[in-house]
Amino acid sequence: MKYKFVQTKWQPKKRKLLQDDERDMIYDDDATYSNLETTTTLPPQPNHYGFGKSDSSILTTTSVPMQSLKKRVFYVMGDIPYDSKEAILLAEQIDDLDPENDDVEFIVHLGDIMKARKCSTSEYSKVQSILLKAPVPVFIVPGDNDWNDCPAPGDAWNNWKTHFMRFDQRWNNRIWGVGRQRKRTENFVFLHRGVLFIGVHLVGGDVHEEEWGVRHAQSLRWTRNCLKRYSEHFDAVVLLGHAKRGWKNDDYFDPLFDLIDEAYDDIPFLYCHGDGHKYKVKEKYSNFLDVQVNSGKKAPPLKVTILYDSERRAKKKFSIDQRGGRY
């Protein structure tokens, strides 16, 4: 009787947890988690759920000869434009991109699209119009200059949402099946050619105590849910945020590192961010690489390639092409 009682109490709790995770994610287009499809057959991966038996039939995989696989490449930029001259430079950088030759299918802007002075609607509109000319979809995460360092953070955040929420969906050749966090729609996820891309709202600058910890807790939950949901269907993870790691976001990264150490120590992670304005590469752990992009004033967008192999060490899994920037 005691055993039955324990089981009765435990099972509803588990189902409720899974339902909460489902409610936390919404998909663009008509995609659902159950009908997403990967484009490669990955090497066998362990169960990263941490409980029970994972369902390998959740995603349909298609076997493709390794030599014929399309490259897994994306551009990444940040901290531009800060003035009218940089706006011209950004437009030139967008125009100079050659995604077809580079096999690139999307770009990521890591935030800080202005100096946090006026944060006027016209500034958001100007950057929006420049980025919309990109030949491939642009994903964007917020930076501190985009809202929390502005004179009126609430108005600035509304401006950012108006101009950049679901920004990647404005292209006809958009990435299909992007998921969003229901409570923080700026956080996104998509599985692309066996790589899991997770965008999170992490900013530096002024700490707004009334929302800071809540937002980090929501972003941590989002990251955990994404890793669980797509478990066994990726051989690498790319985290995308604005802020460099430090005391302002330890409440996000410390629990994440514990999770990686416990359940994902065989998966290489890459964290791409801006904020520091200077190109830096740090190997936090052998399977966690931290790349801080240079400001757009000093360098064109980086080109990141994720290799097809069973390499665990992040430095060997991710190839960074600086593309002639002043590093």
Side-chain angles (χ1 to χ4, degrees), residues 3-36:
Y3 175 77
K4 291 182 179 179
F5 173 76
V6 172
Q7 286 291 85
T8 302
K9 295 292 289 183
W10 178 77
Q11 286 179 344
K13 183 177 180 181
K14 181 180 178 182
R15 287 197 298 271
K16 184 176 186 301
L17 174 61
L18 295 175
Q19 290 166 0
D20 286 346
D21 290 350
E22 286 291 336
R23 285 197 296 266
D24 200 35
M25 186 177 291
I26 52 178
Y27 286 96
D28 293 327
D29 303 313
D30 58 351
T32 64
Y33 174 60
S34 60
N35 66 19
L36 292 180

Side-chain angles (χ1 to χ4, degrees), residues 210-228:
E210 66 276 10
E211 66 82 36
W212 200 266
V214 173
R215 174 167 46 80
H216 285 180
Q218 292 170 334
S219 293
L220 177 62
R221 177 185 176 183
W222 170 247
T223 306
R224 284 172 167 165
N225 287 349
C226 292
L227 292 171
K228 287 180 181 179

Side-chain angles (χ1 to χ4, degrees), residues 28 74-78 80 90 93-95 97 99 104-111 113 127-141 160 163-175 178 180 186 188 190 240 301:
D28 293 327
F74 66 99
Y75 295 127
V76 60
M77 66 173 73
I80 187 173
L90 175 61
Q93 290 176 348
I94 292 294
D95 189 56
L97 294 177
V104 171
E105 294 177 275
F106 62 92
I107 305 166
V108 180
H109 193 299
L110 298 172
I113 57 171
V127 179
Q128 180 195 61
S129 64
I130 294 172
L131 294 179
L132 281 172
K133 295 178 181 178
V136 291
V138 177
F139 290 85
I140 186 168
V141 294
W160 191 94
H163 291 85
F164 297 108
M165 194 69 80
R166 286 189 168 94
F167 192 60
D168 56 282
Q169 294 298 295
R170 302 187 184 211
W171 278 258
N172 291 330
N173 58 337
R174 62 186 181 272
I175 300 296
V178 178
R180 318 277 176 181
E186 70 273 18
F188 60 84
F190 59 95
L240 303 159

Side-chain angles (χ1 to χ4, degrees), residues 31-199:
T32 64
Y33 174 60
S34 60
N35 66 19
L36 292 180
E37 185 175 49
T38 60
T39 57
T40 64
T41 294
L42 301 176
Q45 302 291 332
N47 173 17
H48 297 298
Y49 283 95
F51 58 84
K53 182 179 179 181
S54 59
D55 184 359
S56 59
S57 67
I58 291 177
L59 300 183
T60 303
T61 58
T62 303
S63 182
V64 180
M66 195 66 72
Q67 63 270 20
S68 67
L69 295 177
K70 192 166 184 178
K71 292 180 182 179
R72 304 187 292 185
V73 190
F74 66 99
Y75 295 127
V76 60
M77 66 173 73
D79 303 294
I80 187 173
Y82 280 5
D83 54 36
S84 57
K85 290 184 179 180
E86 289 190 20
I88 296 173
L89 176 60
L90 175 61
E92 292 173 349
Q93 290 176 348
I94 292 294
D95 189 56
D96 288 342
L97 294 177
D98 188 4
E100 185 173 348
N101 186 58
D102 288 339
D103 284 333
V104 171
E105 294 177 275
F106 62 92
I107 305 166
V108 180
H109 193 299
L110 298 172
D112 268 17
I113 57 171
M114 66 184 74
K115 284 186 177 179
R117 292 179 178 172
K118 297 180 180 179
C119 301
S120 63
T121 301
S122 62
E123 292 176 279
Y124 296 90
S125 297
K126 179 189 295 184
V127 179
Q128 180 195 61
S129 64
I130 294 172
L131 294 179
L132 281 172
K133 295 178 181 178
V136 291
V138 177
F139 290 85
I140 186 168
V141 294
D144 46 88
N145 282 10
D146 306 333
W147 76 274
N148 61 299
D149 283 353
C150 291
D155 293 340
W157 180 236
N158 286 333
N159 261 324
W160 191 94
K161 289 192 294 183
T162 298
H163 291 85
F164 297 108
M165 194 69 80
R166 286 189 168 94
F167 192 60
D168 56 282
Q169 294 298 295
R170 302 187 184 211
W171 278 258
N172 291 330
N173 58 337
R174 62 186 181 272
I175 300 296
W176 186 83
V178 178
R180 318 277 176 181
Q181 188 173 22
R182 193 176 295 275
K183 292 183 179 180
R184 302 217 65 92
T185 317
E186 70 273 18
N187 288 347
F188 60 84
V189 65
F190 59 95
L191 183 68
H192 189 63
R193 305 191 189 284
V195 180
L196 189 64
F197 293 87
I198 305 174

